[in-house]
Amino acid sequence: MDKYDVLKKYFGYSEFREGQEILIDGILAGRDVLGIMPTGAGKSICYQTPALLLPGITLVISPLISLMKDQVQALNQAGVHAAYINSSLSESQISKALRLAAAGQYKIIYVAPERLETCDFLNFAGQVEISMLTVDEAHCISQWGQDFRPSYLKIVQFIRQLRKRPVISAFTATATETVKEDIICVLGLQAPEVLVTGFDRKNLYFAVETPKKKDRYVINYIGEHASESGIIYCATRKNVDILYEKLCGEGVLATRYHAGLSGEERRQNQEDFIYDTRPVMVATNAFGMGIDKSNVRYVIHYNMPQSLENYYQEAGRAGRDGGKAECVLLYSAQDVIINRFLSDNKEQKAEYTPEEIEAVRERDEERLKTMTYYCTTSNCLRAYILHYFGEKEAVSCGNCLNCIREYEETDVTETACHIISCIREVRQRYGINVIAGMLAGDDRAKLREYGLFSYQSYGILKPMRETEIKQIINQMLIDGQLFVTNDKYAILKITEKSDEIINGDKRVIFRRAKMDEREEKKKAGEKAASGAKTRRSDILNSRGLELFEQLRELRTTIAKEENMPPYIIFADKTLVDMCVRAPLDKKEMLKVTGVGESKYNRYGERFLQSIREYTGGVREKFYFGEE
């Protein structure tokens, strides 16, 4: 059996996706590998395929119990013997799992990093052949990443204690250049095959909205997407609870998740979401890492996250099946204050030196600044994200709100000169709020206390509103014509580009969304997202959609019978392909994307029977387009 046989037999695919073969071939040749691939790109195939071809056991280090459970369920459904070892099991269950693994029962074992230092596991590791050690969510090992977990450092100690060093493979969806280098260094990867397939998720539509009433926006949005599953992230537990109560009051089948709930309630709520009993999840960022729910059609951020890494990882939980999905961020200036408070009050790692704590604080502030610029830019949102992760050639995508929105451009060079002059006049000692208030001629106590009424710049832009001045300052910050310090007070400073403006060498053009089309934009945005909102099922004609719903009902029935999440039975993508191909026998069914031999043996005949009943055994076209 070769890699292609494994891919088809166990996973039901006829060909590999971009980059998968490069990493698989590297592993099979005995090389360490690092794969940086966006969510939904098929990272798990990159280590699961060679794991089934290598002689010994593959250990997969995974950070969350939910991730392990999902992956092991899916593997066992595909006919691969796999197990997980973590704190959700009793000691007797762990002993039994290790005993069966040592006897060759399992090819793949998922394990929590904390388990690596226990005597039982070290004894087990000393008795068996470990061909590969896979580090999932590898960015967790970097102290400079957005989700550092000290427990991941135990991986390095564990590898050193093994009699024979296995192949090391590491995977993550989000890593800047600094984090990538840190992963390679800390894990000690030896001449690794490094693959960065790109961070773009073309199926995701991005939008930043600034509604006055966020609750009403969310309620209306869910109403327009009533048949779909989605996640709404909030910055605080309090926001989660308030929004959850409001949604339930509106009759929405919602549930919630945050660290303030009991373990049992979190488990039940997560299960209700995964099984689509309650398809809307309201949660803090404590929820989601490793949740492999493929049919999440939207992710709404009720508050701005603390970093672009966090945002892209959380937004990336939409559309894991490759189908079109939406990522909407609801921004308000208050979000910056909330995040700064959370950052200032977060618990610091005990092992950090004062210098490291200060360095972490500065990085957090820089990330928050970058996230704020994302929320206020009028340029392509996707290009902004990709540029941050190192894809410098990114251009306008045509599939985000900023790309489809109409703008009017205004030359604000004179205003920019006044802003720069004001910053200079006060000797670069104040932040955005003070500078904007001073220029607008605001009569508040703080400006009087600072003695700013006597400066020439005071009130020089008085016809303008303070919010307009702030918008122009934000654009100048994004364009590097000003910068703001990373300290607690976020002081505005001038740059070399500021001089270009003052000297008349550079014009400042401000892009503003047309004010008279805000409501119209909402409709246009929904329509314009026709690229974004097109579902895989949109290729099906009316008869095809009927068949699709019939197959979904059958999938739900089987899921309830087997106490299994529906998407683990078959993904929506597979059901759509069934409708397109309309197979009438086993040979045809095995050509459907996502139908391998094991899945066919479990469920294939029931789905074939459903298709035969619907078609009467007669060939019929269920989709739009050419034959």
Side-chain angles (χ1 to χ4, degrees), residues 182-345:
D182 215 18
I183 292 169
I184 294 171
C185 178
V186 176
L187 276 178
L189 301 184
Q190 299 174 0
E193 176 77 63
V194 179
L195 178 74
V196 182
T197 60
F199 294 91
D200 194 8
R201 299 276 307 283
K202 290 183 171 61
N203 61 314
L204 300 184
Y205 165 81
F206 293 95
V208 175
E209 300 276 13
T210 55
K212 289 183 178 178
K213 295 183 179 179
K214 290 185 178 184
D215 293 350
R216 180 46 51 189
Y217 180 97
V218 171
I219 290 167
N220 290 342
Y221 185 98
I222 292 173
E224 293 164 5
H225 299 75
S227 64
E228 298 174 347
S229 180
I231 303 172
I232 301 141
Y233 281 108
C234 301
T236 65
R237 300 176 191 178
K238 181 180 178 181
N239 279 351
V240 168
D241 291 338
I242 291 172
L243 184 58
Y244 164 73
E245 294 292 344
K246 286 186 178 180
L247 292 179
C248 291
E250 293 281 338
V252 176
L253 291 175
T255 187
R256 60 180 168 171
Y257 191 105
H258 60 65
L261 304 176
S262 68
E264 175 56 28
E265 188 173 357
R266 289 199 305 272
R267 186 199 64 77
Q268 183 59 54
N269 292 353
Q270 179 171 302
E271 196 166 284
D272 285 345
F273 176 67
I274 286 174
Y275 284 78
D276 281 333
T277 306
R278 291 184 171 272
V280 177
M281 171 63 79
V282 188
T284 61
N285 61 7
F287 175 79
M289 191 174 181
I291 298 298
D292 192 21
K293 191 173 194 291
S294 63
N295 66 332
V296 175
R297 295 269 67 90
Y298 60 86
V299 170
I300 297 174
H301 278 79
Y302 188 86
N303 305 106
M304 181 186 78
Q306 290 179 297
S307 73
L308 206 55
E309 290 96 332
N310 284 342
Y311 177 65
Y312 202 46
Q313 186 176 66
E314 291 160 12
R317 285 159 195 154
R320 290 178 69 105
D321 57 2
K324 299 296 183 179
E326 297 191 349
C327 309
V328 182
L329 196 163
L330 307 183
Y331 173 71
S332 71
Q334 184 69 18
D335 293 338
V336 181
I337 298 169
I338 292 171
N339 279 315
R340 190 162 281 125
F341 173 82
L342 293 173
S343 180
D344 289 345
N345 289 275

